Amino acid sequence: MSAGLLLALSASAAAGDGERLLTAARIHTSDAGMPVATAVVWDADGRILAVGEAAELAARHPDAERIDAGDATVVPGLIDAHAHLVGLGHALMQADLVGARSTDEVVERLQAFARDLPAGAWLMGRGWDQNLWPDTAFPTAAVLDAAFPDRPVVLERIDGHATWANSAAMRAIGRDLAGDWQPDGGLVVREDGQPTGVFVDMASSLVYAAAPAPDAVWQEQAFARALEHVASLGLTGVHDMGTDDGGFALMQRFADRGALSVRVQAYASRGAGAIEAMCRDGAYRHPSGRLDMRGVKLMIDGALGSRGAALIEDYSDDPGNRGLLVQDEAGLEAAVRRARECGLQVATHAIGDRGNRIVLDTYARVLGDGASGDHRWRIEHAQVIAPGDIARFAGLKLVASMQPTHATSDMGWAGDRLGEARLAGAYAWRSFVEAGVPLALGSDFPVEFPDPRLGLLAAVTRQDVHGQPPGGWLPAQVLTAAEALHGFTAGAAWSAFDEERVGRLAPGLRADFVVLDRDPLAVPGGELDDIVVRSTWVDGKPVYEAN
């Protein structure tokens, strides 16, 4: 970033009124009316007045404060269409186990983190993935007990769909975990009738209900860290999927004091309470324009990595197992019907081909003759689809809300779970595009890293950050750079009924944008993750600037 732009950033933050004009080598607007420009003008309220060529706009707005981004590229503010902001904050405050290559490395990281914990405090962490270990079987409490015989340890799996606990934590549950009983929508993993220490999907609530709740100060610190982190990555918007009452109240407090530095579209967590609250009170919009809630997030199954995704046939690497339904079909349909009665947008988590088919069937029954309307109901993840079901998304006017880095994270073992035949409809972005299904792209952070540049890289190359595998995994499903950028900007905004406010740089919309050191539509696909975010702007004001 040039010294001149740094000075302008400082001046802009202090100015408070008047028009501002930003010029750059190129501005990709994501707007069909003017796809590329070199200048944008906005007013003191952060509303875009004009987009066009620098010389022309400078002449039309001679008194506007000038901000010159030099050789930089500007794109609309990036929007993560499926994420968990509060969860990211918690992850940033807990032991980080992402990428650990063995249980020994997990224990080493936990021991290092525990040095700063008060005596008696529970040790919480997240990010373990047994698929990265020499022995890919689920771990056991014994591994944790050897290092932490007295301190309760609770560790969330990378996908958020399984929990690993030690014996001290299981004792705190205060319930006999032995036997053959199972909680609804979950699995207590057992050997010879005794719990091993792993709890899948809804069974995890047994453990978390016993853990002490973090206090208000800790939660505020965690959320502030999450906001700062995502702004540094170029995110100006997040669709928070599954926001509970406590999380929403936390977001409201930040919005009330002007500290919500990104725009949040919150989707209420599943359950009749959340739906009934919006049926009674209507959709929510904070006066700042930074926080909205007008949809509900439901779930049907678990995740592929923990073998909880609901499949039509058995897991190829676990005969007899077809995954889990975290909610019965009748309960899902009742929730969807109630949401439709109240005019709420519905977004449903579905990973496996059976899970997706159940959601498609449910949506079809509930929408009936109204399927052709502008409801924009979503299926979150749409990860493994029976190929014949992809066209049903288009027929029901659904949004496929997908996360590109799920493919590059899962590619090492997805074939083992599914077998080659089912990979034909797995992580099938190109197939959705060709079927005319709108895509909204995101990361599902903290399940994945929140960096949208990694999402662009995965979408365009089907490779990881090391360029593996050569030629990409299932390369027929790649997206173009323009399609990927659209999915993180205009596509994401449209999927939340927000296209007249954000997602593009066009007159009348908000001045949310990102200044990059290179053009994401021109660099080789393998370099997309190396692009530098120079600054991030929301409502025409910088919320992040690089050193």
Side-chain angles (χ1 to χ4, degrees):
M1 184 181 297
S2 69
L5 181 53
L6 279 171
L7 291 173
L9 286 170
S10 177
S12 295
D17 59 7
E19 296 178 358
R20 299 187 179 109
L21 186 153
L22 171 76
T23 57
R26 70 203 58 80
I27 299 174
H28 293 299
T29 69
S30 287
D31 183 62
M34 183 176 289
V36 182
T38 56
V40 57
V41 180
W42 64 91
D43 63 18
D45 185 49
R47 182 175 60 89
I48 296 174
L49 300 175
V51 178
E53 294 304 311
E56 177 187 353
L57 293 190
R60 286 167 49 192
H61 300 269
D63 297 326
E65 179 183 356
R66 304 294 181 86
I67 304 168
D68 181 17
D71 64 352
T73 295
V74 174
V75 299
L78 299 170
I79 302 168
D80 192 310
H82 184 114
H84 308 279
L85 261 176
V86 173
L88 175 62
H90 288 193
L92 293 172
M93 299 281 280
Q94 296 175 356
D96 180 8
L97 308 179
V98 175
R101 310 297 295 190
S102 66
T103 56
D104 287 343
E105 185 177 347
V106 167
V107 170
E108 289 173 6
R109 294 194 194 186
L110 292 173
Q111 289 172 327
F113 187 84
R115 293 189 191 110
D116 297 325
L117 284 181
W122 286 47
L123 174 52
M124 313 293 286
R126 76 163 310 279
W128 62 272
D129 183 355
Q130 83 282 1
N131 295 307
L132 302 178
W133 305 341
D135 181 358
T136 59
F138 271 144
T140 66
V143 174
L144 302 175
D145 291 345
F148 305 97
D150 302 313
R151 185 192 296 275
V153 182
V154 177
L155 310 174
E156 184 178 15
R157 193 180 182 278
I158 183 68
D159 59 10
H161 287 267
T163 301
W164 176 19
N166 71 345
S167 294
M170 288 193 286
R171 286 193 296 270
I173 293 174
R175 177 178 180 178
D176 185 3
L177 299 174
D180 58 4
W181 62 272
Q182 293 293 354
D184 291 340
L187 174 69
V188 178
V189 179
R190 298 186 178 93
E191 290 182 2
D192 299 325
Q194 297 299 315
T196 65
V198 172
F199 301 79
V200 180
D201 285 310
M202 302 306 292
S204 296
S205 61
L206 295 169
V207 184
Y208 287 109
D215 62 29
V217 172
W218 188 94
Q219 294 209 43
E220 293 251 340
Q221 291 175 342
F223 195 61
R225 282 195 190 183
L227 292 174
E228 180 180 2
H229 187 52
V230 299
S232 74
L233 301 173
L235 287 173
T236 62
V238 170
H239 297 178
D240 196 79
M241 281 291 161
T243 313
D244 63 18
D245 292 343
F248 192 62
L250 179 64
M251 295 173 187
Q252 286 177 307
R253 291 197 296 274
F254 271 70
D256 287 345
R257 62 177 184 257
L260 194 58
S261 54
V262 300
R263 227 176 280 284
V264 180
Q265 286 284 356
Y267 286 73
S269 57
R270 66 188 184 278
I275 295 177
E276 289 307 316
M278 280 192 286
C279 289
R280 179 186 67 243
D281 302 330
Y284 175 90
R285 171 164 287 185
H286 192 273
S288 67
R290 299 284 178 94
L291 178 62
D292 296 68
M293 181 182 280
R294 53 177 173 266
V296 62
K297 158 75 177 308
L298 307 174
M299 292 184 69
I300 189 60
D301 64 352
L304 194 65
S306 48
R307 298 186 182 87
L311 301 182
I312 296 170
E313 301 294 340
D314 293 358
Y315 277 83
S316 295
D317 59 358
D318 191 12
N321 179 13
R322 295 189 179 185
L324 293 167
L325 296 182
V326 300
Q327 183 175 20
D328 63 70
E329 296 180 49
L332 174 69
E333 182 166 339
V336 172
R337 286 191 182 279
R338 184 60 176 145
R340 190 186 187 210
E341 289 171 0
C342 299
L344 303 179
Q345 187 186 20
V346 180
T348 306
H349 161 119
I351 298 282
D353 51 9
R354 182 186 174 210
N356 276 279
R357 182 168 291 174
I358 289 171
V359 176
L360 289 168
D361 290 345
T362 301
Y363 283 3
R365 286 193 299 270
V366 174
L367 288 169
D369 294 339
S372 61
D374 189 24
H375 48 81
R376 304 186 202 181
W377 286 6
R378 302 164 49 142
I379 294 187
E380 304 301 312
H381 309 305
Q383 196 163 296
V384 182
I385 312 290
D389 282 343
I390 292 177
R392 298 184 65 194
F393 281 73
L396 292 170
K397 301 292 185 182
L398 304 182
V399 176
S401 173
M402 306 179 81
Q403 300 75 46
T405 51
H406 279 338
T408 50
S409 292
D410 299 357
M411 62 187 179
W413 47 262
D416 295 334
R417 295 282 192 277
L418 299 171
E420 292 302 312
R422 281 183 290 201
L423 288 178
Y427 316 86
W429 318 319
R430 170 57 52 196
S431 295
F432 277 103
V433 170
E434 291 179 353
V437 180
L439 297 185
L441 300 183
S443 68
D444 198 14
F445 70 69
V447 173
E448 302 282 352
F449 292 113
D451 193 337
R453 293 167 296 186
L454 298 176
L456 294 172
L457 171 74
V460 171
T461 67
R462 304 281 292 199
Q463 295 174 320
D464 63 19
V465 294
H466 306 294
Q468 295 298 318
W473 181 63
L474 305 176
Q477 295 295 341
V478 297
L479 299 177
T480 67
E483 288 168 338
L485 183 62
H486 184 272
F488 277 103
T489 56
W494 187 87
S495 74
F497 290 93
D498 221 10
E499 70 273 18
E500 295 305 319
R501 187 168 56 154
V502 295
R504 298 171 292 132
L505 297 176
L509 277 64
R510 308 307 299 174
D512 294 2
F513 58 87
V514 188
V515 180
L516 306 172
D517 75 327
R518 279 172 288 170
D519 185 349
L521 301 189
V523 302
E527 297 179 13
L528 283 164
D529 60 322
D530 294 325
I531 290 175
V532 174
V533 176
R534 292 183 174 177
S535 58
T536 305
W537 300 63
V538 178
D539 287 326
K541 297 177 182 178
V543 295
Y544 165 79
E545 51 188 291
N547 294 328

